[in-house]
Amino acid sequence: MPFKSLDELRAACVDLPAGSDAAANAVARRQDTLTKPQGSLGRLETIAAWLARWQGREMPKLDRVKVFVFAGNHGVTAQGVSAYPSEVTVQMVANFAGGGAAINQLARIAGAELDVIPLDLDHPTGDFTQTPAMDDKAFLAAVSAGYDAVTKDLDLVCFGEMGIGNTTPAAAISAALFGGGAEKWTGRGTGVDDAGLKRKVVAIEAGLKRHAAALADPLGIAAALGGRELAAIFGATLAARHLGIPVLLDGFVCTAAAAPLARLHPTGLAHTISAHVSAESGHRSLLEALGLPPLLDLGMRLGEGSGACLAVNIVRSALECHARMASFAEAGVSEK
């Protein structure tokens, strides 16, 4: 386990390598020579530079792309915050293994490997309305599981999650980090009715009140209000930064899971791109708070890394244009 204490983890979160200005600038210079008006490919151009910056290569590559889906169960479901029972988490992990979920299809189309990592599904986290979701030991174990999952041979990673009830801890973490109260961040998740939505708000308010002493510390917030799969995404996002691997973040839960890193370091999420804005209430506000403009807006709210995996195709397109387009000189095209 790479992190044996919160102090060790905190130190790792503030000691983050910067990206390569030289590689990003080389991409920008090449973009200006290609057969197009400068800047006319919009974000495709900046995506190519982003890849170069965080891979540390003047010519990025996407030979190995991997989607990690972390799965966890939540004690707060006892408060009636989900339209589905918690056993669906285990059932969906089996569906992933059988190739029957949306993420299986999207990963295949994107040319990405898929790794589903269940985290102690037989033992849900604590109900944060009554107790911390995780004590320090459980939190560090989950963070470490995510950190260890990411290997240095990867060129791009996508993070996603599966966990019945996990939009509730995501909303609680968002409220604790950025304020505004529970209602601002709370949506219908798996499709709860008005009464279920009210139960979610009440549960989050109770959690914020109970754990008020922890709310000054982003790591304390993640442990008290989060979940194992959220902690693992946090750890995996941190590992990617340390290893020089760019990250595509999925929807609301995934973004909330990574958000404490932005509170611990001013450029903590600079190596990430928001793949899409979820239809789940709160995600757009969270992206605005983090300064992460999304690539896609398709009304999706599935999770599983589905939006991040879709965005892999955009990143591949950006790299193909950057690497394979001719320059004005090569094509014999007159410049302005």
Side-chain angles (χ1 to χ4, degrees):
M1 192 167 80
F3 304 113
K4 297 180 176 61
S5 71
L6 288 179
D7 286 341
E8 285 187 14
L9 176 57
R10 196 182 315 279
C13 293
V14 298
D15 184 19
L16 300 181
S20 171
D21 287 341
N25 291 339
V27 165
R29 287 193 299 270
R30 173 171 167 76
Q31 285 286 334
D32 287 346
T33 71
L34 301 180
T35 47
K36 57 177 178 60
Q38 290 184 5
S40 60
L41 283 178
R43 287 194 72 181
L44 293 187
E45 298 185 21
T46 58
I47 288 169
W50 168 77
L51 281 175
R53 176 180 299 281
W54 296 106
Q55 290 184 1
R57 302 184 183 104
E58 292 190 5
M59 184 56 71
K61 64 178 185 177
L62 290 172
D63 296 340
R64 285 202 69 193
V65 178
K66 197 164 190 178
V67 182
F68 293 92
V69 179
F70 299 98
N73 271 324
H74 298 266
V76 75
T77 57
Q79 301 300 319
V81 298
S82 176
Y84 288 84
S86 59
E87 54 262 32
V88 169
T89 304
V90 174
Q91 294 164 358
M92 281 301 300
V93 167
N95 192 28
F96 297 146
I103 192 59
N104 298 95
Q105 322 323 317
L106 295 172
R108 184 179 65 255
I109 291 296
E113 304 169 51
L114 176 61
D115 191 358
V116 180
I117 302 176
L119 298 159
D120 205 7
L121 297 183
D122 292 335
H123 298 93
T125 53
D127 177 353
F128 67 59
T129 68
Q130 308 297 320
T131 185
M134 294 165 285
D135 61 19
D136 288 356
K137 181 179 178 181
F139 175 65
L140 290 167
V143 170
S144 296
Y147 192 94
D148 286 341
V150 181
T151 54
K152 63 181 179 181
D153 57 336
L154 300 174
D155 300 316
L156 177 70
V157 291
C158 304
F159 298 139
E161 41 62 42
M162 177 64 215
I164 292 301
N166 65 11
T167 58
T168 300
I173 288 172
S174 299
L177 289 174
F178 299 105
E183 287 193 14
K184 175 178 178 177
W185 304 101
T186 306
R188 296 185 183 272
T190 50
V192 294
D193 58 14
D194 289 347
L197 183 62
K198 178 61 177 177
R199 288 192 295 271
K200 288 181 73 170
V201 170
V202 169
I204 292 166
E205 288 175 343
L208 294 172
K209 182 177 180 180
R210 177 170 289 275
H211 305 293
L215 301 190
D217 175 19
L219 295 180
I221 289 169
L225 299 172
R228 290 189 182 91
E229 77 274 36
L230 281 79
I233 290 168
F234 177 85
T237 304
L238 178 61
R241 179 61 168 266
H242 287 160
L243 294 172
I245 304 170
V247 173
L248 288 173
L249 294 174
D250 195 42
F252 181 47
V253 176
C254 187
T255 307
L261 189 55
R263 284 299 203 188
L264 290 161
H265 191 287
T267 68
L269 295 183
H271 64 305
T272 73
I273 281 180
S274 171
H276 78 127
V277 58
S278 169
E280 177 65 13
S281 177
H283 191 211
R284 192 178 299 274
S285 294
L286 182 56
L287 293 178
E288 290 172 356
L290 291 168
L292 293 175
L295 286 178
L296 299 168
D297 184 353
L298 299 176
M300 296 171 63
R301 54 182 181 85
L302 175 62
E304 301 180 7
S306 53
C309 206
L310 269 177
V312 171
N313 300 290
I314 294 176
V315 177
R316 288 195 185 280
S317 298
L319 181 55
E320 286 296 293
C321 288
H322 177 72
R324 298 183 183 276
M325 282 181 69
S327 68
F328 283 97
E330 290 166 341
V333 174
S334 298
E335 299 187 57
K336 65 180 180 180

